[in-house]
Amino acid sequence: MAAPPPPPLLLAVLLLLLLAAFLPSPTAAARSSNRKPFPPVTPLHLQALRQQHRVRSSLDAKYVTAAADGNSTAAAKPFTAHYFPQELDHFTFTPNSSMIFYQKYLLNDTFWRRPGGKQAGPLFVYTGNEGDIEWFATNTGFMFDIAPKFGALLVFIEHRFYGESKPFGNDSYKSPDKLGYLTSTQALADFAILITSLKQNLSADASPVIVFGGSYGGMLASWFRLKYPHVALGALASSAPILQFDYITPWTSFYDAVSQDYKSESLNCFNVIKATWDMLEARGSNDTGLLELSKMFRACKTVKSVYSFRNWLWTAFTYTAMVDYPTPANFLENLPAYPVKEMCKIIDGFPASFDTVNKAFAAASLYYNYTGNETCFKIEDDDDPHGLSGWQWQKFDKVLKRFGSNIIFSNGMRDPWSRGGVLKNISSSIIALVTEKGAHHLDFRSETKDDPEWVIEQRRQEVQIIQGWIDQYNQDMAEMSY
């Protein structure tokens, strides 16, 4: 489906160009089991702050218990929020490097098999994406579903510079000097230090850690296993687009997948969307056309650029293809089950002679207004917090085969990002689970009675593989104790 380039959004982070900087050399990989992730002596000011963190975490837990007992009007959530004193820069000794910010993380210990009695349960850790960590926690029900089986402690760590974990508060995005600390290498070090400190505080040093992540979070989860194998036993990376697309046209495969999603439902639907882009540009070439389009699109105020309409439609059609889940969901917007099919039903329901752009607008309205609550659309002023960006890609499969182990890459082929994912087994312990009808990290969503059998089977395989990692770890630990 021919489409405009993605909108110029803030999160165009060229993450993979940094990968070579933190991949271990063969010699370093051999030594990794004996190496600490950070210096053994914590600076005195951090020791004091982290002692306060332990006290505050205890108070947080008491507050949540009181709320559960009805002594507070706070809304019940399946986790408690905590804040960890984190260093701004883990790799240099500049004046700013010792600056502290508080990194948010969430805990759920409902099912945790604590150390001391039977064999301690593992830590299941979600490596946070580009957004508020509570948003990801509430949309990763899979971890909550399987925690009872494993006796797992659930941990969701917010990525630096997002949600409440902004080192410079509201000024965090205002200068390159500040944004220079927004890198994947710094984020991975954050995760390693927080996890290690948390395990020490909980007397759970021997508990294995499995990291989970979806999309960019999945990329981080796989990199974390590679960079910090002594911290994470294994990783489940869902919809993680870490492989290189065609170097010259990196979006070709992505848009091919979007096109195929719509073609699979209706060729007419695909052709209408494809024809919309040129028609839209022609109509919006002058002020009169922009005014007419603003009325057609029910814009809250007159739109000044035709590219705003293009971006609005691009977001609707592309994101709907990403989240073409078999059950209703509100991960990005409130949507029905199989939303691509529903969009195409709208387009195909119009007479052939009906205005093409109007058909596209009606279909896109499903994405923005499925609930029917919107009276107008903020087409030009509404920044989308979940934008796709012009990722740069580099080859990764040889690196995985040489250095990696205990990673599951799961992808659904209806997800456009799957074209940059690992779609075949790299080795006996780096497994690709691919589903023909799966969408963007569908397997991480909560199980429902309407789940198709192929999703149920995919999750069963993931649980079985993770169980195998933990069983082997426990066996190795038992043999070492003799």
Side-chain angles (χ1 to χ4, degrees), residues 56-378:
R56 182 157 58 178
S57 295
S58 176
L59 292 175
D60 288 345
K62 291 178 181 177
Y63 167 78
V64 172
T65 301
D69 291 339
N71 297 327
S72 169
T73 57
K77 293 182 178 179
F79 42 72
T80 60
H82 306 266
Y83 299 85
F84 182 78
Q86 192 69 263
E87 282 186 301
L88 178 65
D89 188 345
H90 302 293
F91 305 106
T92 71
F93 297 96
T94 61
N96 270 348
S97 64
S98 60
M99 173 185 161
I100 300 301
F101 72 97
Y102 284 90
Q103 184 172 25
K104 184 176 182 179
Y105 67 99
L106 311 175
L107 291 180
N108 181 306
D109 63 355
T110 305
F111 307 104
W112 190 33
R113 197 166 56 247
R114 293 176 176 274
K118 291 177 60 179
Q119 199 167 62
L123 276 67
F124 286 175
V125 179
Y126 188 93
T127 50
N129 306 40
E130 65 283 27
D132 185 327
I133 192 60
E134 294 198 14
W135 178 54
F136 294 109
T138 54
N139 282 279
T140 312
F142 174 65
M143 291 174 64
F144 291 90
D145 291 341
I146 66 174
K149 173 181 175 59
F150 289 93
L153 173 67
L154 300 182
V155 186
F156 295 82
I157 307 177
E158 192 161 74
H159 194 298
R160 58 168 53 204
F161 280 80
Y162 295 103
E164 295 182 51
S165 302
K166 295 185 175 70
F168 304 97
N170 293 334
D171 294 333
S172 294
Y173 298 132
K174 287 192 175 179
S175 74
D177 288 345
K178 293 179 172 62
L179 282 169
Y181 297 103
L182 173 54
T183 68
S184 59
T185 49
Q186 295 282 5
L188 292 171
D190 288 343
F191 298 152
I193 290 172
L194 196 159
I195 292 168
T196 304
S197 179
L198 182 64
K199 290 179 69 177
Q200 291 172 346
N201 292 345
L202 296 172
S203 300
D205 296 272
S207 293
V209 173
I210 308 296
V211 289
F212 295 72
S215 196
Y216 169 47
M219 297 162 73
L220 290 170
S222 62
W223 295 342
F224 190 81
R225 168 60 186 164
L226 289 170
K227 176 64 177 175
Y228 298 99
H230 49 294
V231 179
L233 173 65
L236 171 50
S238 181
S239 302
I242 63 172
L243 295 181
Q244 181 179 2
F245 286 155
D246 179 85
Y247 182 75
I248 298 174
T249 54
W251 284 88
T252 300
S253 296
F254 181 92
Y255 286 126
D256 284 347
V258 176
S259 298
Q260 187 55 45
D261 284 356
Y262 288 93
K263 284 180 182 177
S264 69
E265 298 299 341
S266 161
L267 187 58
N268 173 65
C269 176
F270 164 77
N271 287 332
V272 166
I273 297 172
K274 182 179 179 181
T276 297
W277 310 114
D278 289 339
M279 291 186 179
L280 189 65
E281 189 161 354
R283 290 190 193 180
S285 61
N286 54 58
D287 290 343
T288 301
L290 288 173
L291 179 60
E292 291 175 355
L293 286 172
S294 297
K295 292 177 181 178
M296 178 190 295
F297 279 67
R298 290 170 46 201
C300 296
K301 61 181 182 181
T302 302
V303 176
K304 298 177 182 178
S305 169
V306 68
Y307 294 104
S308 296
F309 293 113
R310 288 164 64 91
N311 291 343
W312 191 83
L313 290 174
W314 179 92
T315 297
F317 294 129
T318 302
Y319 287 11
T320 298
M322 282 174 52
V323 295
D324 192 34
Y325 299 139
T327 55
N330 63 350
F331 177 52
L332 297 177
E333 297 283 355
N334 261 304
L335 290 171
Y338 296 111
V340 169
K341 181 189 294 289
E342 296 303 317
M343 275 190 170
C344 286
K345 282 182 181 178
I346 292 171
I347 289 175
D348 292 345
F350 287 104
S353 58
F354 195 78
D355 180 74
T356 297
V357 176
N358 219 328
K359 291 179 185 178
F361 162 72
S365 296
L366 177 84
Y367 177 80
Y368 292 106
N369 195 26
Y370 177 61
T371 60
N373 295 328
E374 300 295 332
T375 58
C376 66
F377 297 113
K378 297 177 182 177

Side-chain angles (χ1 to χ4, degrees), residues 1-18:
M1 178 171 60
L9 300 172
L10 175 65
L11 304 178
V13 184
L14 307 182
L15 296 169
L16 289 177
L17 295 179
L18 301 172

